[in-house]
């Protein structure tokens, strides 16, 4: 039997004169004559695992296996360099096919995405051969989870790209694990499959070799069976629900607004700049329409009404009068009204993206300002990120705005229902709304995302869709009955402790690999 397959220790590293250089293939990993086939196949599969319209869930589990095989059996510069190009290419492909406007900031973001997500391959290539079997198997997946975490918490684009959990939207049993650990554990499981398969690939088949994939399969099985059991035996209670209506401006009202601006009609891909001095005249038809649709929804039984992001456009001088009118509608119809407005300012940054939540008595319960404007696309001053929560007869109601929901940390809120006014575009709206469903699982609340020019959906605290509306073609009020009692999840209580443990583990393993060991005397 070949050396290194008779126990669970990895092949030793030769540190003497015959040790391979840092540009040679790893010890025990000779060049693979098929490695460029693995690179090409991994590159193609990676395009279908980018949180995009054409994602294939299985592709997310396979592409890193092949890219890891290529990087491990190639010289460092070539192997990691080409994997980096593949990673950046996948990020740019994402930006293109979901029609993200290409600006300097978004292009830089694409390069940044690719660079961060290529880092685990570099670290694995350099350090995994210096570690024992268990440590070598864990280094890549832990660092992959850490990279997702760093982008999701500290980068300006959040988890809009690079979060592998988003690619598994059609596997609710698997996704239930994020209620315990947060979304980054799915990336760890996918990364672990890559190292496990490569472990077997690099060694002659034996019982000792086979133990590693058996252990991995058992762990993955526990995750999926546990998630299935949660869905089957602990369903979300629908004994008490509240009727919620989502409101968008009607196309007819938007046409009137655009004609007041000298445009032939409403074009969702070409919304001209408003002049703060003339906003009241230009927006009157839309605001009147929004109030009319709100009244119609209330008379259809809605107790909570939420508008899509920036549904009303008002100048700062008219904000007080607008809120007075909104309070009158809420009071007259005896409902909770979440109005979403773009307030135009006479000086830079020229606008605020905010919501106002009004109670049935007309009281203003919160004013919330978007905490995460889209870098390179929105110039609003960010809000403080303190998510408002109000107790009502229908549970604890909370609110963020659109892109805020791509930052899991801000969504750790003790609520029963999370309202998310959104504003997207046809190529991205459905994906963006599906991504938000992970926040419902993580935090145990129902989530209602009312999206303009995209895809509106409501989800249970288990992330299961209740109702949807394609708002690229339908601007009628959307009405859905939503559970009023959320659940308490471990992730909501502990936050990102799992991700921090992955970071600590990665640092420990890196230290073990790079710190010279003293020889026994």
């Amino acid at each position: 039997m070949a050396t290194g397959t008779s126990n669970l220790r990895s092949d030793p590293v030769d540190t003497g004169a015959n040790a391979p250089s840092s540009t040679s293939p790893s010890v025990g990993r000779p060049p693979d004559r098929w490695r460029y086939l693995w690179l090409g196949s991994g590159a193609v599969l990676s395009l279908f695992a980018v949180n995009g319209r054409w994602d294939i869930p299985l592709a997310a589990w396979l592409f890193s296996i092949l890219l890891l095989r290529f990087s491990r059996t190639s010289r460092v510069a070539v192997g990691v360099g080409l994997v980096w190009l593949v990673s950046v290419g996948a990020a740019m492909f994402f930006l293109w096919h979901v029609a993200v406007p290409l600006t300097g900031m978004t292009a830089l973001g694409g390069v940044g995405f690719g660079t961060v997500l290529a880092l685990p391959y570099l670290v694995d290539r350099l350090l995994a051969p210096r570690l024992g079997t268990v440590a070598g198997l864990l280094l890549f997946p832990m660092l992959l989870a850490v990279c997702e975490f760093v982008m999701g918490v500290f980068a300006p684009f959040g988890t809009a790209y690079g979060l592998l959990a988003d690619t598994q939207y059609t596997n609710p049993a698997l996704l239930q694990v994020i209620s315990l650990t947060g979304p980054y554990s799915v990336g760890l499981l996918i990364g672990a499959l890559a190292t496990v398969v490569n472990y077997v690939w690099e060694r002659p088949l034996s019982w000792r070799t086979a133990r590693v994939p058996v252990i991995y399969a058992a762990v993955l099985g526990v995750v999926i069976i546990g998630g299935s059991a949660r869905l089957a035996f602990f369903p979300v209670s629908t004994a008490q629900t509240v009727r919620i209506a989502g409101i968008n401006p009607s196309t007819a009202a938007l046409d009137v607004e655009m004609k007041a601006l000298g445009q032939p009609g409403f074009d969702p891909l070409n919304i001209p700049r408003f002049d703060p001095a003339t906003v009241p005249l230009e927006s009157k038809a839309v605001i009147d329409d929004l109030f009319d649709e709100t009244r119609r929804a209330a008379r259809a039984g809605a107790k909570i009404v939420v508008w899509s992001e920036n549904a009303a456009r008002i100048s700062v001088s008219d904000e007080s009068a607008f809120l007075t009118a909104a309070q009158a509608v809420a009071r007259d119809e005896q409902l909770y009204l979440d109005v979403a407005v773009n307030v135009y300012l006479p000086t830079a940054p020229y606008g605020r993206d905010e919501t106002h939540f009004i109670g049935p008595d007309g009281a203003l319960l919160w004013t919330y300002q978007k905490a995460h404007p889209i870098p390179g696309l929105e110039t609003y001053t960010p809000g403080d990120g303190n998510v408002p929560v109000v107790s009502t007869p229908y549970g604890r109601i909370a609110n963020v705005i659109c892109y805020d929901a791509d930052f899991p940390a801000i969504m750790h809120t003790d609520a029963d229902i999370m309202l998310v006014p959104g504003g997207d575009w046809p190529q991205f709206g459905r994906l963006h709304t599906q991504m938000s469903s992970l926040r419902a699982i993580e935090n145990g609340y129902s989530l209602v995302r009312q999206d303009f020019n995209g895809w509106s959906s409501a989800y249970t605290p288990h992330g299961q869709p209740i109702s949807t509306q394609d708002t690229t073609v339908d601007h009628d009020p959307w009405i859905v009955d939503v559970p009023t009692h959320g659940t308490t999840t471990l992730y909501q209580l502990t936050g990102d402790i799992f991700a921090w443990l992955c970071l600590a583990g990665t640092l420990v393993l890196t230290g073990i690999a790079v710190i010279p060991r003293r020889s026994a005397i």
Side-chain angles (χ1 to χ4, degrees), residues 156 353 370-383 403-404 407:
D353 187 351
K370 189 174 186 178
H372 294 283
I374 301 174
L377 299 180
E378 295 178 335
T379 58
Y380 308 119
T381 299
Y403 199 52
D404 290 339
F407 294 81

Side-chain angles (χ1 to χ4, degrees), residues 276-296:
T278 61
V279 163
L281 172 65
E282 294 152 353
S283 299
K284 182 179 185 305
V286 168
I287 293 172
D288 289 346
D289 175 70
L290 288 166
F291 285 145
D292 287 344
E293 296 292 359
T294 297
R295 294 186 185 97
R296 184 154 71 101

Side-chain angles (χ1 to χ4, degrees), residues 394-459:
Y394 312 112
R396 299 180 306 280
I397 312 298
N399 175 107
V400 298
I401 299 176
C402 196
Y403 199 52
D404 290 339
D406 292 322
F407 294 81
I410 198 177
M411 304 295 282
H412 294 326
T413 302
D414 185 15
D416 296 296
I417 299 174
M418 175 66 73
L419 304 177
V420 186
D424 285 310
W425 55 95
Q427 297 89 337
F428 191 49
R430 183 168 188 163
L431 304 171
H432 208 191
T433 295
Q434 288 175 349
M435 292 176 190
S436 70
S437 68
L438 271 65
R439 308 292 89 83
I441 305 172
E442 293 161 7
N443 297 287
Y445 42 58
S446 298
L447 186 143
V448 179
R449 191 174 193 271
Q450 174 59 23
D451 194 19
F452 176 73
N453 201 32
W455 191 265
S456 295
S457 288
Y459 298 95

Side-chain angles (χ1 to χ4, degrees), residues 185-277:
S185 59
V186 175
L188 183 140
L189 287 170
I190 290 175
L193 179 65
T195 56
V196 167
V197 171
N198 274 276
Y199 173 86
V200 175
W201 203 337
E202 294 164 358
R203 291 163 174 78
L205 186 61
S206 69
W207 163 241
R208 291 185 179 276
T209 302
R211 287 192 301 179
V212 170
V214 168
I215 293 171
Y216 174 82
V219 171
L220 184 61
V222 168
V223 169
I224 294 176
I225 293 172
S228 299
R230 183 176 193 241
L231 294 173
F233 301 116
F234 302 95
V236 174
S237 173
T238 56
Q240 292 182 306
T241 61
V242 61
R243 181 156 292 183
I244 299 178
I247 303 293
N248 274 327
S250 70
T251 302
L254 289 168
D255 282 340
V256 173
E257 183 180 62
M258 291 300 107
K259 288 175 182 176
L261 286 166
Q263 302 292 320
F266 173 65
D267 179 359
L269 300 181
N270 183 28
I271 299 177
R273 171 154 178 78
F274 285 63
D275 181 348

Side-chain angles (χ1 to χ4, degrees), residues 289-368:
D289 175 70
L290 288 166
F291 285 145
D292 287 344
E293 296 292 359
T294 297
R295 294 186 185 97
R296 184 154 71 101
R299 290 160 193 173
K303 299 302 181 183
I304 301 172
V305 173
V306 54
W307 294 1
S308 58
E309 182 183 18
N310 290 333
R313 302 172 189 275
I314 58 177
S315 64
V316 66
S317 60
D318 293 303
E319 188 172 17
S320 177
F322 167 80
L323 286 176
T324 298
Q327 288 170 304
V329 172
R331 185 168 50 248
D332 291 345
E333 302 299 336
Q334 287 295 288
L335 54 76
Y336 289 91
L337 176 57
D338 195 21
V339 297
V341 297
N342 187 342
V343 181
Y344 282 79
L345 307 174
T347 58
Y350 302 111
R352 296 198 307 265
D353 187 351
E354 61 190 23
T355 60
H356 304 278
F357 195 56
I358 303 166
D361 59 355
L364 180 62
L365 301 176
W366 76 54
T367 294
Y368 174 78

